[in-house]
């Protein structure tokens, strides 16, 4: 019962940090955005998400050459994407981040699908392995309570930046710029550049259309491509052959068709998939909170649980594993439109699309140059978001190494994917390899994080406050603490030193210890403990007796701490203060 209580508490929404609306947002999370603009913003998301529909077509081609089965698989996968979005949007209960994160088909799983196809596994066998991977992902979400340690800002930043790199790579593949593909002609390049130019001009126009920049640019690109004859040759035939209405036909999981190597690939890909999901949540979390300084674990943990349950559902119906559509999330950030209503409308549109193969075919058969332009444009915003995440804290040598190794590995996979595809297909994408390396580098070097510093002070000395301030500032600089953490540490030490001076303490030993995500400050002295911090501090306390003034000063020193406690022993006392970094 205690375990269940602990798990319930870890997912409780009451543990979420209060969020502050940033200035400049058009629509915040709970903003009742107008219906018509919300519909078009949702359509813009769907337009970006439709570019990802090719991701579901890739594993379908690996598992079967039948176009009808590929269409069936894609419709089921869109339905799984809609379920993922709906679970994330929930604002009550233990499931769902509560963030408006659009979804797509998880790119981290592509290598695993390729391994399944190479092993002769069919749709039923792949569904069984996705189902098992989803169960494992759901269980792992309960082990993410120390998210700030396992996936700190630097690792999350690497993940988000490599998502952007992966999207650029996908855009170049769609356009035919990768080896072994048909190079685009001059007219296709014209469509690409014109689409990006229109997106940028509309975004900078300052008009109401600025929020719809990608949709306007994509529509312009499609019209230009039709005028220049840059549409797929079989587009009309494929669309005409697709029915308007059809119920998606699920594939039941076939556990007898599973193979060990592809199953291992799916499980290995979970690390990158979960890191990618966490990166998507953090992107929206950071953009939606003006007071954001680091990840808020409960919301992300609920989001990861919903992510795992969605993968279970996808496996149960034979669909591709869903995950966050970070390009669409980046679009929301770029346009300042973070209202949940927009993504709810998009969820309904996706459900309708899943039952309409003809609409799915229209999205899939869009000109390649327009798809590439959309990905390249949006990926730039994602890379910027990742860079901001990675540099929230000062980058010391260790943090710089984590970022460098992760980015280096990811870019290596981007420029030379053949070797990885041949030997470790689960790590054949920049995101999969880079996320894995950054995660392992952070984990392996974590024991090297701990740093200590000590100081002996004479509180009665008139220079004690200045000495404490200079020592705290120098220690914070040497450790690369965030400016806010450095100020909190300095303020707390100076305030407590002044209180001890007023109580006649002759000497105090100060010890500071830095961990991965916190700073522990301890003070030991000979004498009585400090009074408890004021529960309801008031200015009148400063005019009260010594105890009231000291209680007010203790409150000032500890009000921003994660915890504060004292431990009397014989005639000595030790106070311990924990600050977040």
């Amino acid at each position: 019962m205690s375990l269940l209580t602990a798990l319930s508490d870890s997912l409780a929404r009451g543990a979420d940090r209060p969020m502050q609306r940033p200035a400049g947002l058009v629509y915040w999370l709970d903003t009742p955005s107008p219906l018509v603009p919300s519909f078009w913003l949702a359509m813009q998301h769907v337009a970006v998400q439709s570019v990802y529909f090719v991701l579901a077509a890739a594993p379908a081609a690996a598992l079967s050459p039948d176009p009808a089965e590929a269409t069936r698989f894609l419709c089921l996968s869109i339905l799984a994407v809609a379920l993922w979005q709906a679970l994330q949007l929930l604002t009550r209960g233990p499931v769902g981040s509560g963030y408006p994160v659009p979804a797509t088909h998880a790119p981290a799983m592509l290598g695993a699908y390729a391994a399944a196809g190479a092993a002769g596994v069919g749709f039923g066998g792949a569904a069984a392995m996705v189902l098992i991977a989803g169960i494992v992902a759901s269980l792992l979400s309960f082990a993410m309570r120390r998210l700030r340690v396992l996936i700190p800002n630097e690792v999350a930043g690497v993940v988000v930046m490599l998502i952007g790199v992966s999207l650029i790579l996908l855009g170049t593949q769609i356009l035919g710029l990768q080896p072994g593909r048909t190079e685009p002609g001059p007219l296709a390049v014209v469509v690409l550049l014109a689409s990006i130019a229109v997106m940028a001009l509309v975004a900078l126009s300052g008009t109401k259309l600025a929020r719809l920049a990608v949709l306007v640019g994509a529509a312009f690109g499609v019209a230009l491509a039709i005028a220049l004859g840059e549409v797929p040759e079989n587009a009309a035939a494929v669309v005409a052959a697709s029915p308007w209405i059809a119920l998606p036909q699920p594939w039941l999981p076939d556990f007898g068709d599973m193979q060990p190597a592809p199953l291992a690939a799916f499980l290995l890909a979970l690390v990158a998939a979960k890191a990618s999901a966490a990166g998507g949540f953090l992107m929206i979390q950071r953009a939606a909170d003006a007071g954001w300084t680091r990840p808020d674990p409960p919301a992300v943990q609920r989001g990861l649980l919903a992510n795992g349950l969605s993968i279970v559902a996808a496996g149960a119906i034979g669909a591709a594993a869903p995950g966050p559509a970070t390009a669409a999330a980046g679009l929301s950030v770029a346009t300042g439109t973070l209202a949940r209503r927009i993504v709810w409308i998009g969820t309904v549109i996706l459900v309708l699309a899943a039952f309409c193969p003809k609409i799915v075919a229209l999205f899939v058969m869009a000109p390649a140059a327009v798809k590439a332009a959309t990905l390249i444009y949006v990926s730039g915003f994602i890379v910027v978001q990742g860079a901001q995440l990675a540099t929230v804290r000062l980058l010391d040598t260790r943090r710089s190494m984590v970022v460098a190794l992760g980015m280096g590995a990811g870019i290596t996979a981007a420029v030379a994917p053949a070797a990885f595809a041949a030997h470790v297909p689960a790590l054949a994408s920049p995101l999969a390899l880079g996320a894995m390396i950054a995660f392992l580098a952070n984990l392996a070097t974590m024991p090297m994080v701990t740093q200590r510093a000590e100081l002996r002070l004479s509180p009665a000395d008139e220079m004690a406050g200045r000495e404490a301030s200079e020592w705290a500032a120098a220690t914070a600089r040497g450790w690369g603490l965030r400016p806010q953490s450095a100020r909190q540490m300095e303020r707390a030490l100076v305030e407590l030193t002044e209180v001890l001076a007023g109580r006649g303490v002759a000497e105090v030993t100060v010890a500071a210890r830095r961990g991965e995500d916190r700073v522990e400050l301890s003070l030991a002295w000979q004498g009585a403990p400090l009074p408890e911090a004021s529960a309801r501090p008031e200015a009148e306390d400063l005019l009260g007796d010594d105890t009231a003034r000291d209680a007010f000063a203790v409150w000032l020193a500890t009000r921003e701490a994660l915890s504060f406690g004292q431990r009397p022993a014989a005639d000595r006392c030790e106070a311990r203060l924990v600050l977040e970094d």
Side-chain angles (χ1 to χ4, degrees):
M1 184 63 69
S2 59
L3 177 60
L4 292 177
T5 302
L7 292 177
S8 176
D9 291 344
S10 70
L11 299 172
R13 295 186 184 268
D16 292 5
R17 282 201 305 261
M19 302 180 77
Q20 306 171 28
R21 176 171 180 164
L25 280 186
V26 181
Y27 303 128
W28 197 41
L29 300 175
D30 295 321
T31 301
S33 54
L35 188 58
V36 173
S38 296
F39 172 79
W40 288 112
L41 287 167
M43 284 298 297
Q44 184 171 240
H45 281 165
V46 173
V48 174
Q49 289 167 287
S50 69
V51 178
Y52 289 91
F53 291 170
V54 296
L55 296 180
L63 298 174
S64 171
D66 187 351
E69 289 193 338
T71 301
R72 173 183 171 187
F73 181 74
L74 183 54
C75 289
L76 290 169
S77 300
I78 294 173
L79 202 59
V81 163
L83 174 64
W84 193 98
Q85 287 187 183
L87 289 181
Q88 295 300 341
L89 287 166
L90 297 177
T91 55
R92 295 183 180 180
V95 176
S97 63
Y99 301 146
V101 185
T104 185
H105 316 294
M109 296 287 189
L110 287 183
Y113 279 107
V121 175
F123 284 102
M129 291 185 284
V130 170
L131 178 61
I132 291 175
I135 293 173
V136 173
S138 300
L139 294 175
L140 285 177
S141 65
F142 293 104
M144 300 296 285
R145 191 67 182 92
R146 291 300 303 275
L147 180 68
R148 293 174 297 183
V149 175
L150 295 175
I151 307 180
N153 293 335
E154 296 76 35
V155 175
V158 168
V159 169
V160 174
M161 283 189 284
L162 288 177
I163 288 171
V165 172
S166 298
L167 294 180
I168 294 174
L169 182 61
L170 177 59
T172 60
Q173 291 171 347
I174 291 173
L175 194 59
L177 297 178
Q178 296 295 325
R181 297 178 180 265
T182 304
E183 293 185 2
L187 295 180
V189 175
V190 169
V191 173
L192 172 78
L193 297 178
S195 300
I196 294 176
V198 171
M199 292 175 192
L201 289 173
V202 173
L204 296 172
S205 67
T207 65
K208 292 182 179 180
L209 288 177
R211 299 193 299 271
L212 305 173
V214 171
L215 189 59
V216 173
F220 175 84
V222 169
L224 181 61
I226 293 174
L228 297 178
E230 285 294 318
V231 294
E233 294 180 359
N234 61 338
V238 170
V239 173
S242 302
W244 279 104
I245 302 295
L247 293 176
Q249 299 296 316
W251 273 286
L252 293 179
D254 184 358
F255 294 96
D257 192 30
M258 294 192 306
Q259 297 291 334
L263 178 59
F266 275 107
L267 295 177
L268 183 59
L270 280 181
V271 175
K274 288 182 73 65
S276 175
F281 302 142
L282 294 177
M283 177 186 294
I284 296 296
Q285 188 182 92
R286 186 179 189 280
D289 186 7
W292 191 93
T293 56
R294 61 173 51 257
D296 187 18
V300 177
Q301 188 174 8
R302 290 194 307 270
L304 292 175
L305 177 58
N307 178 71
L309 294 176
S310 298
I311 296 175
V312 170
I317 63 175
T326 318
L331 178 61
S332 297
V333 173
T335 57
T337 52
L338 301 179
R340 294 188 184 94
R341 173 181 287 184
I342 296 169
V343 181
W344 272 120
I345 293 174
T347 302
V348 174
I349 294 172
L350 287 173
V351 171
L352 295 176
F355 287 84
C356 185
K358 193 176 288 291
I359 291 180
V360 173
L362 283 172
F363 279 117
V364 173
M365 300 308 294
V370 176
K371 293 179 181 179
T374 303
L375 286 172
I376 292 171
Y377 176 82
V378 174
S379 62
F381 290 97
I382 295 173
V383 172
V384 170
Q385 283 286 319
Q388 291 175 340
L389 265 178
T391 55
V392 165
R393 301 188 292 184
L394 294 176
L395 293 181
D396 57 14
T397 302
R398 174 184 170 273
R399 293 169 182 166
S400 297
M401 186 189 70
V402 170
V403 174
L405 291 178
M407 290 301 298
I411 293 174
T412 299
V415 299
F420 296 99
H423 301 290
V424 278
L427 298 178
S429 73
L431 177 59
L433 182 63
M436 172 76 77
I437 295 299
F439 179 82
L440 293 178
N442 175 68
L443 207 60
T445 58
M446 202 175 294
M448 304 177 187
V449 172
T450 302
Q451 293 175 289
R452 291 179 171 83
E454 291 189 0
L455 172 70
R456 289 185 180 275
L457 281 173
S458 299
D461 190 332
E462 62 180 12
M463 299 298 291
R466 180 175 178 179
E467 184 180 356
S469 176
E470 292 177 349
W471 177 83
T475 301
R477 284 195 303 270
W479 289 353
L481 301 184
R482 291 186 302 117
Q484 182 179 353
S485 302
R487 288 192 296 269
Q488 292 173 356
M489 177 179 171
E490 181 180 353
R491 187 184 305 122
L493 181 57
V494 171
E495 290 284 352
L496 292 177
T497 299
E498 291 178 355
V499 173
L500 292 172
R503 297 169 71 87
V505 173
E507 184 179 80
V508 58
T509 301
V510 181
R513 177 182 176 275
R514 175 204 172 198
E516 167 58 32
D517 64 338
R518 61 189 57 204
V519 177
E520 298 176 4
L521 191 65
S522 63
L523 293 83
W525 66 92
Q526 190 169 7
L530 296 172
E532 293 292 330
S534 300
R536 294 183 177 180
E538 298 178 356
E540 288 76 7
D541 293 341
L542 297 175
L543 302 176
D545 57 21
D546 290 344
T547 301
R549 289 197 298 271
D550 287 350
F552 187 87
V554 172
W555 171 80
L556 280 177
T558 62
R559 68 187 188 278
E560 295 176 309
L562 293 176
S563 64
F564 173 71
Q566 299 185 76
R567 186 176 59 184
D571 60 343
R572 291 184 62 80
C573 185
E574 180 180 355
R576 182 172 175 270
L577 187 76
V578 179
L579 299 169
E580 187 178 45
D581 180 47

